Amino acid sequence: MSTRGKSLSLDTINPNVRNVEYAVRGGIPAMAAKYEKELEEGQKLPFDSIVFANIGNPQQMPNLAQPPLTFWRQVAALTEYPPLLDAPAESRDALFAPDAQQRARELLDAFGSVGAYTGSKGVPLVRKHVAEFLERRDGYPEDIENIYLTAGASSGILTLFQTFFRSGKDAVLIPIPQYPLYSAALSLYDLMPLHYELSPDKHWEPSMDIVREQIASAREQGRTPRAIVVINPGNPTGACMSEQEIQDVIKEAYREGLVIFADEVYQSNVYQNQCPFLSFRKVLLDFGKSDNETERNISKSVELVSLHSISKGFSGECGRRGGYFELTNVDAEVEGQVNKLVSVSLCPPAQGQIGVDLLVNPPKKGEPSYDLWEKETQDIHDTLERRSENMAKRFSELPGVHIEPAMGALYLFPQLHLSKRAWDEAEKQGKKIDELYCTELLNETGICVVPGSGFEAQPKRLEDGTSHSYFRTTMLAKATDEFIERYVKFHTAFMERYKD
C-alpha cells in the first residue's frame, strides 16, 4: 500500500510568497508576543510588561490604549444594533447624542444592514462624503466613481499593484526607508523594487537625481519603470513634504511616464506649522492653473492614486479595516479592470466603510457632538506632539543617538552610531547590528521596536569600523516616561557593554 506524500511544501507553494518579508510583524515582535504570554503565565522576566512600539496600533491594550472617539463608537453601536434607536427617548438620549442618532439612521438607510454585502466600491453615500471631503480639502470637485472604499489602505495597494503592473516585467520606485508593505507587495507580484534613498540630512527629502539613476538602471536590466510610491507624512521617518518637493515628484512622473502612489494615511498627524500637509491631488490639479502649457498638461495627464485610512489620524480604528483610494487621470478602461478585481472580493467591511464616513464627515461646529469630538481629537494631537518632543529630547541626550522630533505621522526614527565591537558581535551572531540592538532591547526591557533594516534602511559600516543604523519606534506608549527610562537605562548599558 503506497503512502501519499504531502501536496504542499515550501518547494510547491508560490515562490513569491517565500520572498515576502514584513518586519513590523517579524521575528522580534514574535519574540515579544512569546514573552507576553510567559508573563501572563507568571514567569519571571527582567521586565513586568511588553511595550509594543513596533506598529502604529493606537488602541492596543494595555500599553498604548488610545481611547476611541465617542462619536464614532456611538454611531457604530447604533448601526450594529438598530433597536437602540427605538428605545425609550429618555434612556436613548442619555447614552447617544442626537446627531449620533441622526447619523446612524442616515447610514442605516444607505446600508440597510451592516450584516449585508454592499457594492464592490462601497456604499454610494459614503463615497459621496469622501468626494465632498476631497473638495473641501483640495478645492477641486471629485466624481464618486473615482473613489473606492477599501479594507484599509493596505488592501487598496495590493489590489492596484496586482491590476496595474506586469509580473516579471515592471519596476516600481519606493522610498528608502519605506513601509514594508511596499517591498512585500513587490515581492509577491514579482515586480522589481527601485530604491530611491531619502536624505536624513535634509529632513528626508527625496532626490530626483537618485530617482533618475534608478530608472536608468531598471531599463538597463530590461524592466519597465511604471510607478513611484511616496509616503507623506513619512513612515518611518515622520517627515512632511514641502510643496516644492511634491511638485518635483509630479514633474518627474510626467517626464518618465510614472503613476504616483500617494500614501497619505498620516495627513492629520502633523505636529509643526512650517511644513503643513498638502495632498498630491491638490498640487497636481494646481498645475492646471498655470500659464505654462506643459504644466497644464501635467495636471491633466499624470496618473495619481491617493490613499487614506481610518487606522491612523486621531481615530486609530485599525481593527475596523477601513480606508479608500481615489484615482486621478486613470484611463476609464483601466478603471473598469480595477472595478472588476475589487468585485472578486465582493465588498469592504461595512463597519470600515462607516468609519470612513465618520473620518471624512465628522461632527460640525454647532452640532451636539462637536465640542466633545473637538476636545478628544485635540487631546490626542497634543499628546502625540508632546510625546514626540519628549522622546526626541531624551533620546538626543544619549551618546550615539541622533534624532529630531517627528514633523508628522506616529513614529520616531533614531539614528544610532555604534561601536566596532558591537558590529563584530552582531556578525558573530549572524545578525545585522540593528537587529542585535533591537533584540537586546527587547530581551532586557520588554520594549519591542523594529530595526531600520526592516524598512530597507540598511546599517552602514564606516571606515573606522563603527556604524550607522536605525530603528523605528512609535510614540504611542501610554506610560511614556516609563518607556523612556527603560530605554535610557538599556542604551547606556549597551554602549558600555560594547565599548571599543
Side-chain angles (χ1 to χ4, degrees):
M1 181 177 177
S2 63
T3 302
R4 179 185 181 277
K6 297 287 187 183
S7 175
L8 295 174
S9 71
L10 288 179
D11 293 327
T12 61
I13 66 170
N14 182 348
N16 294 335
V17 174
R18 299 202 307 268
N19 296 329
V20 170
E21 296 182 2
Y22 193 68
V24 295
R25 289 186 182 267
I28 292 175
M31 181 60 71
K34 175 177 176 291
Y35 286 155
E36 184 178 48
K37 184 178 180 181
E38 291 174 357
L39 287 171
E40 290 171 354
E41 293 170 347
Q43 296 189 39
K44 296 294 183 183
L45 296 174
F47 40 84
D48 58 11
S49 65
I50 301 295
V51 180
F52 286 98
N54 60 302
I55 193 166
N57 189 17
Q59 294 188 32
Q60 184 174 10
M61 300 292 283
N63 298 110
L64 308 185
Q66 176 178 301
L69 299 176
T70 301
F71 184 75
W72 282 56
R73 290 303 177 89
Q74 288 185 349
V75 174
L78 291 166
T79 55
E80 281 291 338
Y81 192 60
L84 291 171
L85 289 165
D86 298 321
E90 183 177 341
S91 59
R92 185 183 70 226
D93 293 346
L95 289 172
F96 302 102
D99 52 340
Q101 296 178 46
Q102 179 181 345
R103 179 68 66 85
R105 293 182 192 278
E106 179 185 67
L107 288 167
L108 285 168
D109 285 345
F111 279 77
S113 167
V114 296
Y117 289 133
T118 72
S120 299
K121 286 185 174 183
V123 168
L125 176 68
V126 180
R127 292 161 54 221
K128 174 176 177 288
H129 288 162
V130 173
E132 291 167 352
F133 162 77
L134 293 172
E135 183 170 3
R136 289 194 306 272
R137 188 193 67 183
D138 300 334
Y140 298 96
E142 183 53 281
D143 184 343
I144 71 167
E145 293 307 316
N146 294 327
I147 296 165
Y148 286 73
L149 306 184
T150 61
S154 300
S155 71
I157 287 291
L158 295 174
T159 295
L160 292 170
F161 274 31
Q162 195 174 8
T163 306
F164 286 179
F165 308 129
R166 302 165 298 178
S167 294
K169 294 183 178 181
D170 292 339
V172 176
L173 287 143
I174 58 174
I176 300 300
Q178 54 101 32
Y179 179 53
L181 163 67
Y182 295 101
S183 54
L186 296 178
S187 295
L188 184 60
Y189 300 129
D190 190 19
L191 302 167
M192 176 184 282
L194 303 178
H195 295 166
Y196 69 96
E197 293 192 6
L198 308 177
S199 174
D201 299 326
K202 297 180 180 179
H203 302 292
W204 302 102
E205 178 182 336
S207 165
M208 292 305 102
D209 288 339
I210 294 176
V211 167
R212 286 187 280 272
E213 289 171 5
Q214 290 295 302
I215 289 172
S217 175
R219 287 174 175 155
E220 288 173 1
Q221 297 176 64
R223 293 283 187 123
T224 304
R226 296 287 307 287
I228 182 168
V229 171
V230 185
I231 309 173
N232 180 45
N235 178 8
T237 65
C240 293
M241 295 180 70
S242 68
E243 183 172 13
Q244 183 61 58
E245 290 168 7
I246 295 172
Q247 288 175 346
D248 290 345
V249 171
I250 292 171
K251 289 177 180 179
E252 195 63 33
Y254 175 73
R255 281 191 289 266
E256 298 291 351
L258 304 174
V259 181
I260 300 173
F261 279 78
D263 181 335
E264 298 173 335
V265 303
Y266 298 100
Q267 60 188 262
S268 297
N269 300 110
V270 176
Y271 312 117
Q272 40 71 47
N273 298 319
Q274 295 83 3
C275 194
F277 171 77
L278 286 173
S279 73
F280 265 75
R281 178 177 181 269
K282 173 176 172 50
V283 177
L284 173 62
L285 297 181
D286 279 349
F287 276 114
K289 298 177 179 178
S290 174
D291 294 332
N292 182 286
E293 183 178 353
T294 298
E295 291 189 350
R296 292 198 303 273
N297 195 40
I298 287 174
S299 179
K300 294 182 291 185
S301 62
V302 170
E303 297 141 302
L304 170 67
V305 177
S306 304
L307 300 113
H308 200 4
S309 169
I310 68 173
S311 299
K312 312 306 176 187
F314 306 124
S315 53
E317 294 282 1
C318 301
R320 293 184 184 275
R321 309 311 301 134
Y324 70 81
F325 64 79
E326 180 261 342
L327 304 176
T328 302
N329 294 331
V330 172
D331 180 83
E333 291 185 347
V334 173
E335 191 275 336
Q337 297 302 306
V338 174
N339 195 14
K340 178 175 70 176
L341 190 59
V342 299
S343 299
V344 174
S345 299
L346 295 175
C347 70
Q351 277 294 353
Q353 295 185 51
I354 288 172
V356 172
D357 191 82
L358 300 172
L359 173 73
V360 301
N361 190 24
K364 298 176 178 62
K365 194 168 186 177
E367 295 179 344
S369 294
Y370 176 81
D371 288 345
L372 179 58
W373 175 86
E374 174 72 10
K375 180 183 185 304
E376 289 177 341
T377 55
Q378 191 62 50
D379 285 350
I380 292 169
H381 177 277
D382 293 347
T383 296
L384 292 173
E385 182 176 14
R386 185 169 59 250
R387 286 175 182 169
S388 173
E389 292 175 351
N390 189 20
M391 291 172 67
K393 179 178 182 298
R394 293 294 303 279
F395 284 15
S396 67
E397 294 168 352
L398 295 170
V401 179
H402 174 75
I403 187 172
E404 295 180 4
M407 300 171 75
L410 300 177
Y411 314 101
L412 295 171
F413 200 57
Q415 184 187 73
L416 302 170
H417 185 191
L418 301 178
S419 67
K420 177 181 181 298
R421 186 177 177 187
W423 183 284
D424 293 342
E425 178 62 25
E427 280 192 335
K428 182 180 175 181
Q429 295 186 26
K431 293 184 171 81
K432 297 175 182 176
I433 192 167
D434 57 349
E435 294 172 341
L436 172 74
Y437 184 92
C438 295
T439 300
E440 293 196 5
L441 174 63
L442 173 63
N443 291 342
E444 295 176 28
T445 70
I447 294 174
C448 177
V449 299
V450 186
S453 54
F455 304 93
E456 300 291 346
Q458 301 297 341
K460 295 180 180 178
R461 196 159 196 181
L462 307 179
E463 290 183 2
D464 63 359
T466 62
S467 64
H468 283 160
S469 60
Y470 296 89
F471 71 89
R472 190 194 77 169
T473 178
T474 71
M475 58 181 78
L476 296 171
K478 187 176 181 181
T480 304
D481 290 341
E482 180 191 346
F483 172 95
I484 292 172
E485 292 311 314
R486 286 199 210 183
Y487 175 75
V488 168
K489 183 178 179 181
F490 162 78
H491 181 81
T492 303
F494 185 95
M495 298 296 281
E496 181 64 26
R497 180 161 62 247
Y498 292 109
K499 184 168 61 176
D500 286 333

